[in-house]
Amino acid sequence: MKKAMIIINPTSGKEEALNYVRNVEDLLTDQRYEVTVKETAKEQDATLFCISACEASYDLVVSIGGDGTLHETINGLINQEHLPKLGVVPLGTVNDFARALQIPLLPDKAIQTLSSSRIKIADLGQLNDQLFVNTVAVGSFAESLSSVTSDDKSRFGALAYVKEGIKELMNQPTHPLCIQYDGETWEGESPLFLAALTNSVGGFERLAPDAAVDDGLLHCFIIKDLTIFNTITASLSLLFGNFKNHKDVVYFTAKNVSISSPESVRTNVDGEEGPSLPIQISSMPRHIQVIVPEEATA
């Protein structure tokens, strides 16, 4: 009999996650899975649960929660010989990975997707000794994103990140960065560096419209200046899908990126606080099988 593990964060989705577990369990049982449910209680629980699923050769792991729960879950895949398929029921604020793979953002519809026979083989990224599914941000703006509270996420959704970003903008903070990628080097002052695996970042699905979930590339943006005026023009560029062509944006694609600074600079990884510089980032092409809707085109 096939084996499936449900990893659930009970605090996700305004604490509605537990309401969906029975529906997922029933659907997977109908699909002839032997189902195990694991509920997170503290940091790294999802990672440990996923490691145990890999070691026991589970066929499927389902993450029920937000991007943070998904980030912890996929980190259980590091250095594993057996990799289960991944199912996602998004309950978070932004759900970038689900957006990029056209997995429904409505939980009931996402649950039905788990019965789909369609699989998408997607890239993952590696930052130092951890994996990520979507984005790495570096700089003062990245630090402000990490300070967004769970209450603000629940109340304001993606606007919570915009609110914190504008607050940081008033200080116009920058850091000296040295960014090396595929034989090239960029050095200068920047308030924000961003590396994305998909076209959806912070809920904006047109930041990197050319990015595909299986192109094997990191889509990278260096923001050189963020005065209020430039922020307005950059926002318009973002809305129209040509952010990479803005005069104060350096855009490139790469498979490997190294970032360092003489200052102490923090990072944000998949919406969660990450390590300080220096960091090494690399793409892991076509690393994981994800269940997607039958009609998905991603």
Side-chain angles (χ1 to χ4, degrees), residues 83 85-86 97 101 118-124 212-216 284-292 298:
L83 299 181
K85 289 184 295 185
L86 176 68
F97 188 70
L101 284 142
R118 183 161 186 207
I119 299 296
K120 185 70 177 179
I121 304 178
D123 302 338
L124 290 180
V213 297
D214 59 353
D215 62 11
M284 303 178 70
R286 298 173 61 81
H287 195 73
I288 187 170
Q289 299 182 73
V290 186
I291 300 176
V292 297

Side-chain angles (χ1 to χ4, degrees), residues 36-98:
T36 301
V37 178
K38 295 289 189 179
E39 185 176 323
T40 64
K42 59 185 183 301
E43 287 187 13
Q44 304 304 315
D45 274 355
T47 299
L48 295 174
F49 294 151
C50 187
I51 288 172
S52 68
C54 292
E55 292 176 344
S57 297
Y58 273 64
D59 301 280
L60 172 67
V61 167
V62 178
S63 171
I64 304 180
D67 287 334
T69 303
L70 180 59
H71 173 81
E72 279 201 13
T73 298
I74 62 99
N75 267 280
L77 305 177
I78 294 178
N79 300 324
Q80 296 292 339
E81 291 185 8
H82 171 78
L83 299 181
K85 289 184 295 185
L86 176 68
V88 180
V89 178
L91 296 181
T93 304
V94 178
N95 304 307
D96 278 319
F97 188 70

Side-chain angles (χ1 to χ4, degrees), residues 114-130:
L114 297 175
S115 64
S116 169
S117 62
R118 183 161 186 207
I119 299 296
K120 185 70 177 179
I121 304 178
D123 302 338
L124 290 180
Q126 182 163 353
L127 183 156
N128 295 349
D129 58 354
Q130 66 175 290

Side-chain angles (χ1 to χ4, degrees), residues 17-288:
L18 292 173
N19 296 335
Y20 300 108
V21 173
R22 177 58 64 85
N23 292 340
V24 175
E25 194 170 1
D26 289 346
L27 183 145
L28 293 179
T29 299
D30 288 343
Q31 297 287 315
R32 302 187 64 80
Y33 281 98
E34 178 185 333
V35 181
T36 301
V37 178
K38 295 289 189 179
E39 185 176 323
T40 64
K42 59 185 183 301
E43 287 187 13
Q44 304 304 315
D45 274 355
T47 299
L48 295 174
F49 294 151
C50 187
I51 288 172
S52 68
C54 292
E55 292 176 344
S57 297
Y58 273 64
D59 301 280
L60 172 67
V61 167
V62 178
S63 171
I64 304 180
D67 287 334
T69 303
L70 180 59
H71 173 81
E72 279 201 13
T73 298
I74 62 99
N75 267 280
L77 305 177
I78 294 178
N79 300 324
Q80 296 292 339
E81 291 185 8
H82 171 78
L83 299 181
K85 289 184 295 185
L86 176 68
V88 180
V89 178
L91 296 181
T93 304
V94 178
N95 304 307
D96 278 319
F97 188 70
R99 289 174 187 271
L101 284 142
Q102 300 179 24
I103 295 170
L105 301 184
L106 294 176
D108 289 332
K109 290 187 176 181
I111 291 169
Q112 291 305 310
T113 294
L114 297 175
S115 64
S116 169
S117 62
R118 183 161 186 207
I119 299 296
K120 185 70 177 179
I121 304 178
D123 302 338
L124 290 180
Q126 182 163 353
L127 183 156
N128 295 349
D129 58 354
Q130 66 175 290
L131 301 183
F132 63 96
V133 292
N134 206 65
T135 56
V136 174
V138 176
S140 298
F141 267 43
E143 294 175 26
S144 71
L145 296 181
S146 297
S147 69
V148 176
T149 66
S150 296
D151 286 345
D152 274 358
K153 289 180 185 179
S154 296
R155 289 171 59 197
F156 302 114
L159 291 177
Y161 295 104
V162 175
K163 181 170 74 75
E164 284 300 321
I166 291 174
K167 188 163 64 176
E168 281 296 323
L169 175 64
M170 297 301 102
N171 300 322
Q172 298 186 16
T174 63
H175 295 287
L177 299 179
C178 177
I179 301 170
Q180 297 177 303
Y181 58 98
D182 295 355
E184 303 288 336
T185 300
W186 183 92
E187 292 187 82
E189 295 276 337
S190 171
L192 176 65
F193 166 85
L194 185 68
L197 287 172
T198 76
N199 67 324
S200 182
V201 177
F204 294 99
E205 297 182 41
R206 304 194 70 183
L207 181 76
D210 298 330
V213 297
D214 59 353
D215 62 11
L217 296 173
L218 298 164
H219 294 258
C220 302
F221 301 83
I222 304 168
I223 314 303
K224 295 188 292 183
D225 187 18
L226 272 182
T227 63
I228 292 178
F229 175 77
N230 286 339
T231 300
I232 294 172
T233 60
S235 298
L236 291 173
S237 297
L238 181 60
L239 291 174
F240 287 107
N242 58 357
F243 184 69
K244 66 182 183 181
N245 298 319
H246 190 274
K247 66 181 181 66
D248 288 305
V249 174
V250 176
Y251 169 77
F252 63 88
T253 60
K255 295 182 178 180
N256 298 282
V257 181
S258 300
I259 309 171
S260 60
S261 175
E263 298 179 0
S264 176
V265 182
R266 299 292 297 178
T267 67
N268 183 286
V269 185
D270 287 338
E272 305 294 324
E273 185 175 350
S276 298
L277 297 185
I279 59 172
Q280 303 270 345
I281 312 172
S282 60
S283 65
M284 303 178 70
R286 298 173 61 81
H287 195 73
I288 187 170

